mmCIF file of all heavy atoms in Angstrom:
data_model
loop_
_atom_site.group_PDB
_atom_site.id
_atom_site.type_symbol
_atom_site.label_atom_id
_atom_site.label_comp_id
_atom_site.label_asym_id
_atom_site.label_seq_id
_atom_site.Cartn_x
_atom_site.Cartn_y
_atom_site.Cartn_z
ATOM 1 N N LYS A 176 -19.237 -48.708 50.960
ATOM 2 C CA LYS A 176 -17.791 -48.973 50.978
ATOM 3 C C LYS A 176 -17.291 -49.519 49.644
ATOM 4 O O LYS A 176 -16.091 -49.470 49.371
ATOM 5 C CB LYS A 176 -17.466 -49.978 52.085
ATOM 6 C CG LYS A 176 -17.642 -49.433 53.495
ATOM 7 C CD LYS A 176 -17.327 -50.511 54.512
ATOM 8 C CE LYS A 176 -17.477 -49.997 55.935
ATOM 9 N NZ LYS A 176 -17.208 -51.071 56.932
ATOM 10 N N ALA A 177 -18.192 -50.057 48.829
ATOM 11 C CA ALA A 177 -17.786 -50.675 47.568
ATOM 12 C C ALA A 177 -17.591 -49.619 46.482
ATOM 13 O O ALA A 177 -18.477 -48.808 46.222
ATOM 14 C CB ALA A 177 -18.839 -51.696 47.135
ATOM 15 N N ALA A 178 -16.443 -49.667 45.848
ATOM 16 C CA ALA A 178 -16.123 -48.654 44.833
ATOM 17 C C ALA A 178 -16.958 -48.824 43.569
ATOM 18 O O ALA A 178 -17.140 -47.867 42.811
ATOM 19 C CB ALA A 178 -14.638 -48.721 44.490
ATOM 20 N N ASP A 179 -17.460 -50.057 43.329
ATOM 21 C CA ASP A 179 -18.180 -50.307 42.080
ATOM 22 C C ASP A 179 -19.693 -50.288 42.249
ATOM 23 O O ASP A 179 -20.427 -50.738 41.372
ATOM 24 C CB ASP A 179 -17.761 -51.650 41.482
ATOM 25 C CG ASP A 179 -17.992 -52.807 42.444
ATOM 26 O OD1 ASP A 179 -18.251 -52.537 43.637
ATOM 27 O OD2 ASP A 179 -17.909 -53.963 42.002
ATOM 28 N N VAL A 180 -20.167 -49.771 43.373
ATOM 29 C CA VAL A 180 -21.614 -49.700 43.631
ATOM 30 C C VAL A 180 -22.062 -48.237 43.609
ATOM 31 O O VAL A 180 -21.453 -47.379 44.249
ATOM 32 C CB VAL A 180 -21.985 -50.345 44.986
ATOM 33 C CG1 VAL A 180 -23.475 -50.160 45.259
ATOM 34 C CG2 VAL A 180 -21.630 -51.820 44.972
ATOM 35 N N VAL A 181 -23.127 -47.982 42.868
ATOM 36 C CA VAL A 181 -23.689 -46.631 42.791
ATOM 37 C C VAL A 181 -24.975 -46.598 43.622
ATOM 38 O O VAL A 181 -25.930 -47.316 43.327
ATOM 39 C CB VAL A 181 -24.003 -46.240 41.333
ATOM 40 C CG1 VAL A 181 -24.647 -44.853 41.288
ATOM 41 C CG2 VAL A 181 -22.748 -46.287 40.484
ATOM 42 N N VAL A 182 -24.983 -45.774 44.665
ATOM 43 C CA VAL A 182 -26.166 -45.613 45.519
ATOM 44 C C VAL A 182 -26.915 -44.365 45.075
ATOM 45 O O VAL A 182 -26.347 -43.266 45.026
ATOM 46 C CB VAL A 182 -25.776 -45.501 47.008
ATOM 47 C CG1 VAL A 182 -27.021 -45.281 47.867
ATOM 48 C CG2 VAL A 182 -25.028 -46.750 47.456
ATOM 49 N N THR A 183 -28.189 -44.536 44.762
ATOM 50 C CA THR A 183 -29.003 -43.423 44.276
ATOM 51 C C THR A 183 -30.164 -43.168 45.226
ATOM 52 O O THR A 183 -30.877 -44.103 45.601
ATOM 53 C CB THR A 183 -29.562 -43.725 42.869
ATOM 54 O OG1 THR A 183 -28.489 -44.023 41.983
ATOM 55 C CG2 THR A 183 -30.350 -42.527 42.337
ATOM 56 N N HIS A 184 -30.343 -41.907 45.612
ATOM 57 C CA HIS A 184 -31.502 -41.502 46.415
ATOM 58 C C HIS A 184 -32.609 -41.093 45.447
ATOM 59 O O HIS A 184 -32.548 -40.020 44.849
ATOM 60 C CB HIS A 184 -31.142 -40.336 47.342
ATOM 61 C CG HIS A 184 -30.022 -40.643 48.280
ATOM 62 N ND1 HIS A 184 -29.339 -39.668 48.976
ATOM 63 C CD2 HIS A 184 -29.447 -41.820 48.634
ATOM 64 C CE1 HIS A 184 -28.407 -40.222 49.709
ATOM 65 N NE2 HIS A 184 -28.444 -41.532 49.522
ATOM 66 N N GLU A 185 -33.591 -41.949 45.291
ATOM 67 C CA GLU A 185 -34.667 -41.698 44.327
ATOM 68 C C GLU A 185 -35.627 -40.609 44.811
ATOM 69 O O GLU A 185 -36.212 -39.878 44.013
ATOM 70 C CB GLU A 185 -35.446 -42.989 44.062
ATOM 71 C CG GLU A 185 -34.589 -44.167 43.584
ATOM 72 C CD GLU A 185 -34.064 -43.964 42.181
ATOM 73 O OE1 GLU A 185 -34.523 -43.035 41.495
ATOM 74 O OE2 GLU A 185 -33.186 -44.757 41.764
ATOM 75 N N LEU A 186 -35.811 -40.515 46.111
ATOM 76 C CA LEU A 186 -36.687 -39.499 46.704
ATOM 77 C C LEU A 186 -35.931 -38.771 47.799
ATOM 78 O O LEU A 186 -35.149 -39.382 48.533
ATOM 79 C CB LEU A 186 -37.958 -40.136 47.303
ATOM 80 C CG LEU A 186 -38.929 -40.840 46.346
ATOM 81 C CD1 LEU A 186 -40.074 -41.463 47.144
ATOM 82 C CD2 LEU A 186 -39.481 -39.856 45.328
ATOM 83 N N LYS A 187 -36.171 -37.481 47.917
ATOM 84 C CA LYS A 187 -35.539 -36.691 48.970
ATOM 85 C C LYS A 187 -36.538 -36.256 50.039
ATOM 86 O O LYS A 187 -36.159 -35.741 51.090
ATOM 87 C CB LYS A 187 -34.852 -35.459 48.366
ATOM 88 C CG LYS A 187 -33.635 -35.815 47.522
ATOM 89 C CD LYS A 187 -32.949 -34.566 47.022
ATOM 90 C CE LYS A 187 -31.616 -34.888 46.379
ATOM 91 N NZ LYS A 187 -31.708 -35.814 45.259
ATOM 92 N N GLU A 188 -37.841 -36.454 49.770
ATOM 93 C CA GLU A 188 -38.868 -36.130 50.749
ATOM 94 C C GLU A 188 -40.048 -37.062 50.548
ATOM 95 O O GLU A 188 -40.166 -37.736 49.526
ATOM 96 C CB GLU A 188 -39.315 -34.669 50.632
ATOM 97 C CG GLU A 188 -39.956 -34.307 49.310
ATOM 98 C CD GLU A 188 -40.389 -32.851 49.250
ATOM 99 O OE1 GLU A 188 -39.903 -32.044 50.069
ATOM 100 O OE2 GLU A 188 -41.230 -32.527 48.394
ATOM 101 N N VAL A 189 -40.917 -37.111 51.563
ATOM 102 C CA VAL A 189 -42.073 -37.998 51.503
ATOM 103 C C VAL A 189 -43.292 -37.274 52.058
ATOM 104 O O VAL A 189 -43.178 -36.468 52.989
ATOM 105 C CB VAL A 189 -41.797 -39.299 52.303
ATOM 106 C CG1 VAL A 189 -41.546 -38.997 53.775
ATOM 107 C CG2 VAL A 189 -42.942 -40.288 52.151
ATOM 108 N N SER A 190 -44.451 -37.545 51.463
ATOM 109 C CA SER A 190 -45.696 -36.946 51.926
ATOM 110 C C SER A 190 -46.277 -37.814 53.041
ATOM 111 O O SER A 190 -46.464 -39.022 52.859
ATOM 112 C CB SER A 190 -46.692 -36.837 50.771
ATOM 113 O OG SER A 190 -47.925 -36.298 51.223
ATOM 114 N N ILE A 191 -46.549 -37.195 54.188
ATOM 115 C CA ILE A 191 -47.067 -37.939 55.340
ATOM 116 C C ILE A 191 -48.336 -37.284 55.868
ATOM 117 O O ILE A 191 -48.655 -36.138 55.520
ATOM 118 C CB ILE A 191 -46.033 -38.001 56.486
ATOM 119 C CG1 ILE A 191 -45.757 -36.570 57.029
ATOM 120 C CG2 ILE A 191 -44.748 -38.661 56.029
ATOM 121 C CD1 ILE A 191 -44.997 -36.544 58.322
ATOM 122 N N THR A 192 -49.071 -38.030 56.708
ATOM 123 C CA THR A 192 -50.202 -37.474 57.448
ATOM 124 C C THR A 192 -50.000 -37.778 58.926
ATOM 125 O O THR A 192 -49.494 -38.847 59.287
ATOM 126 C CB THR A 192 -51.549 -38.067 56.982
ATOM 127 O OG1 THR A 192 -51.514 -39.494 57.159
ATOM 128 C CG2 THR A 192 -51.817 -37.743 55.524
ATOM 129 N N CYS A 193 -50.401 -36.841 59.769
ATOM 130 C CA CYS A 193 -50.290 -37.027 61.214
ATOM 131 C C CYS A 193 -50.973 -35.853 61.905
ATOM 132 O O CYS A 193 -51.340 -34.870 61.256
ATOM 133 C CB CYS A 193 -48.832 -37.109 61.659
ATOM 134 S SG CYS A 193 -47.882 -35.591 61.340
ATOM 135 N N LEU A 194 -51.141 -35.958 63.207
ATOM 136 C CA LEU A 194 -51.597 -34.820 63.989
ATOM 137 C C LEU A 194 -50.441 -33.824 64.105
ATOM 138 O O LEU A 194 -49.267 -34.230 64.075
ATOM 139 C CB LEU A 194 -52.046 -35.263 65.377
ATOM 140 C CG LEU A 194 -53.356 -36.051 65.454
ATOM 141 C CD1 LEU A 194 -53.584 -36.553 66.877
ATOM 142 C CD2 LEU A 194 -54.538 -35.187 65.003
ATOM 143 N N PRO A 195 -50.746 -32.540 64.229
ATOM 144 C CA PRO A 195 -49.677 -31.544 64.321
ATOM 145 C C PRO A 195 -48.622 -31.855 65.382
ATOM 146 O O PRO A 195 -47.431 -31.620 65.159
ATOM 147 C CB PRO A 195 -50.444 -30.258 64.660
ATOM 148 C CG PRO A 195 -51.775 -30.457 64.004
ATOM 149 C CD PRO A 195 -52.085 -31.914 64.182
ATOM 150 N N LYS A 196 -49.044 -32.402 66.523
ATOM 151 C CA LYS A 196 -48.092 -32.674 67.604
ATOM 152 C C LYS A 196 -47.085 -33.771 67.236
ATOM 153 O O LYS A 196 -46.020 -33.885 67.838
ATOM 154 C CB LYS A 196 -48.836 -33.073 68.880
ATOM 155 C CG LYS A 196 -49.567 -34.397 68.801
ATOM 156 C CD LYS A 196 -50.289 -34.723 70.089
ATOM 157 C CE LYS A 196 -51.004 -36.070 70.025
ATOM 158 N NZ LYS A 196 -50.073 -37.194 69.860
ATOM 159 N N ASP A 197 -47.438 -34.589 66.230
ATOM 160 C CA ASP A 197 -46.566 -35.692 65.836
ATOM 161 C C ASP A 197 -45.723 -35.387 64.597
ATOM 162 O O ASP A 197 -44.965 -36.248 64.130
ATOM 163 C CB ASP A 197 -47.403 -36.946 65.557
ATOM 164 C CG ASP A 197 -48.129 -37.448 66.794
ATOM 165 O OD1 ASP A 197 -47.540 -37.372 67.892
ATOM 166 O OD2 ASP A 197 -49.285 -37.903 66.668
ATOM 167 N N LEU A 198 -45.839 -34.176 64.063
ATOM 168 C CA LEU A 198 -45.141 -33.847 62.818
ATOM 169 C C LEU A 198 -43.622 -33.812 63.031
ATOM 170 O O LEU A 198 -43.114 -32.999 63.791
ATOM 171 C CB LEU A 198 -45.616 -32.483 62.297
ATOM 172 C CG LEU A 198 -44.977 -32.003 60.990
ATOM 173 C CD1 LEU A 198 -45.343 -32.930 59.834
ATOM 174 C CD2 LEU A 198 -45.415 -30.574 60.674
ATOM 175 N N PRO A 199 -42.874 -34.693 62.350
ATOM 176 C CA PRO A 199 -41.409 -34.671 62.477
ATOM 177 C C PRO A 199 -40.802 -33.656 61.516
ATOM 178 O O PRO A 199 -41.366 -33.386 60.462
ATOM 179 C CB PRO A 199 -41.017 -36.096 62.080
ATOM 180 C CG PRO A 199 -42.068 -36.498 61.091
ATOM 181 C CD PRO A 199 -43.344 -35.800 61.504
#
């Protein structure tokens, strides 16, 4: 909401490990 704040997304994806049934 603040006009003087710059929000930056440093990462757009993440490497994860899981069983296939749990893959989001």
Side-chain angles (χ1 to χ4, degrees):
K176 291 179 179 178
D179 57 348
V180 176
V181 177
V182 178
T183 304
H184 301 165
E185 304 290 349
L186 296 177
K187 291 183 171 58
E188 63 180 18
V189 62
S190 178
I191 64 168
T192 59
C193 63
L194 289 174
K196 67 180 181 64
D197 296 323
L198 180 64

